Amino acid sequence: MFGAGNQGRSGGRGARLRRAAALAFVGAVLTGAAACGGDGATGGDKGGKAARTDGKAPASTPAGAATSAGPGEPDTSGTSGGSGALSQRDLTALAFTDGEKIGKYTAGEFSLGEPQGEDYTADPAACQPLVSLAKGATAFDPASEVHRNVDVAEEMVGTTVAVQLRSYNGGGAVGVMKALGAAGKACGGGFVENRAVAKGQYLKVEPVKAPDHGDEAQAYRFTILDVKGTLKLYEYLTVVRSGATTLSFRADILDTKDIGKVPEEVITAQWKKFEAASTR
């Protein structure tokens, strides 16, 4: 249960402080070593939409795709993001803005940098894409990326969604989805998530229904065991690919409640904002 909420967003300082206190408690509950799960893997690609085979062209990459950044190098100039990749400026324009409302939720920037970053690792390493798609998680590094936190600012304990857009050079986005699907299959029986100060045992990785967006999509439900072996916590991950860009949504809650899925309104709102650029 080391998901989106632990960085907080830039606004709502009082709510953020209360939430930080709750997170500190949850982190303490979950801290401790755990062993990798068994071999009862389930097929991660069964829960997602397969890449299109109906002869239709892939969904268009939004306007602003650039063609000249160096392979694997993030571009912040706003003028290039690599072959097929979006520039940092263009990708940012497609993401939620700070303070944007999505129903009862509010989007904001992460106050402590990228969530699920390079300090999140998996044991075994084959499960890494399920933990994080940050640089180094797969053989394909993003050329540009944008991260947003979405939650209900007034709630100390509530659903939080990390919304992360990443754009890749060449076939990087396709490669990332293949790596994610392989991890979903190989790690169904569980794995260990490592952080600098904590470890969490994932008991189960299950494919769940993915949204009908983009060229392909995958979705997973994670069951996580607390260090005492008494509490089961739940987290959801949905990743959509459109052309050279992936849209990732990781949802969790500071509770043992199973939220059932990534909130549909968050996925739909971000997808519509992203998709609109391809029709300009």
Side-chain angles (χ1 to χ4, degrees):
M1 186 71 164
F2 307 110
N6 53 359
Q7 278 78 14
R9 55 188 182 84
S10 55
R13 187 171 184 271
R16 296 279 72 74
L17 291 175
R18 294 192 298 273
R19 189 174 180 86
L23 280 160
F25 169 76
V26 173
V29 170
L30 293 175
T31 302
C36 178
D39 58 359
T42 56
D45 56 347
K46 294 179 182 177
K49 182 176 55 158
R52 287 178 177 161
T53 57
D54 56 5
K56 295 181 180 179
S60 300
T61 298
T67 58
S68 60
E73 294 295 324
D75 174 70
T76 58
S77 67
T79 58
S80 64
S83 179
L86 293 171
S87 71
Q88 185 68 34
R89 183 177 63 190
D90 290 332
L91 191 63
T92 299
L94 301 179
F96 290 134
T97 58
D98 192 18
E100 185 170 346
K101 301 291 289 186
I102 308 101
K104 68 177 182 178
Y105 299 96
T106 303
E109 298 180 2
F110 283 93
S111 59
L112 298 180
E114 175 186 357
Q116 303 289 125
E118 296 178 56
D119 57 334
Y120 286 71
T121 61
D123 182 15
C127 304
Q128 183 64 36
L130 297 170
V131 169
S132 170
L133 293 176
K135 182 178 180 181
T138 71
F140 310 94
D141 289 341
S144 56
E145 52 188 309
V146 179
H147 312 282
R148 295 289 183 261
N149 184 67
V150 177
D151 64 6
V152 180
E154 297 76 19
E155 293 184 358
M156 183 177 71
V157 178
T159 301
T160 300
V161 186
V163 180
Q164 299 173 278
L165 279 59
R166 296 181 173 96
S167 202
Y168 297 83
N169 296 317
V174 173
V176 165
M177 297 300 287
K178 288 181 179 179
L180 180 64
K185 290 180 178 179
C187 306
F191 63 92
V192 175
E193 177 186 286
N194 298 301
R195 289 184 64 195
V197 297
K199 292 186 178 182
Q201 183 178 0
Y202 282 56
L203 294 176
K204 190 182 297 185
V205 176
E206 302 170 275
V208 294
K209 181 177 175 57
D212 188 24
H213 298 319
D215 297 312
E216 56 179 319
Q218 298 179 35
Y220 298 94
R221 175 183 185 260
F222 304 134
T223 303
I224 307 168
L225 187 67
D226 80 306
V227 68
K228 294 182 179 180
T230 57
L231 298 177
K232 288 184 179 180
L233 309 170
Y234 303 95
E235 185 172 299
Y236 286 82
L237 173 67
T238 295
V239 183
V240 176
R241 180 184 69 83
S242 179
T245 302
T246 62
L247 296 79
S248 172
F249 306 85
R250 186 178 293 267
D252 64 15
I253 188 171
L254 300 179
D255 199 335
T256 57
K257 177 183 177 181
D258 187 345
I259 59 176
K261 58 185 174 181
V262 178
E264 288 185 9
E265 59 264 51
V266 175
I267 295 177
T268 300
Q270 178 58 87
W271 170 250
K272 286 183 176 179
K273 189 167 187 176
F274 179 88
E275 185 183 36
S278 66
T279 61
R280 293 175 186 168

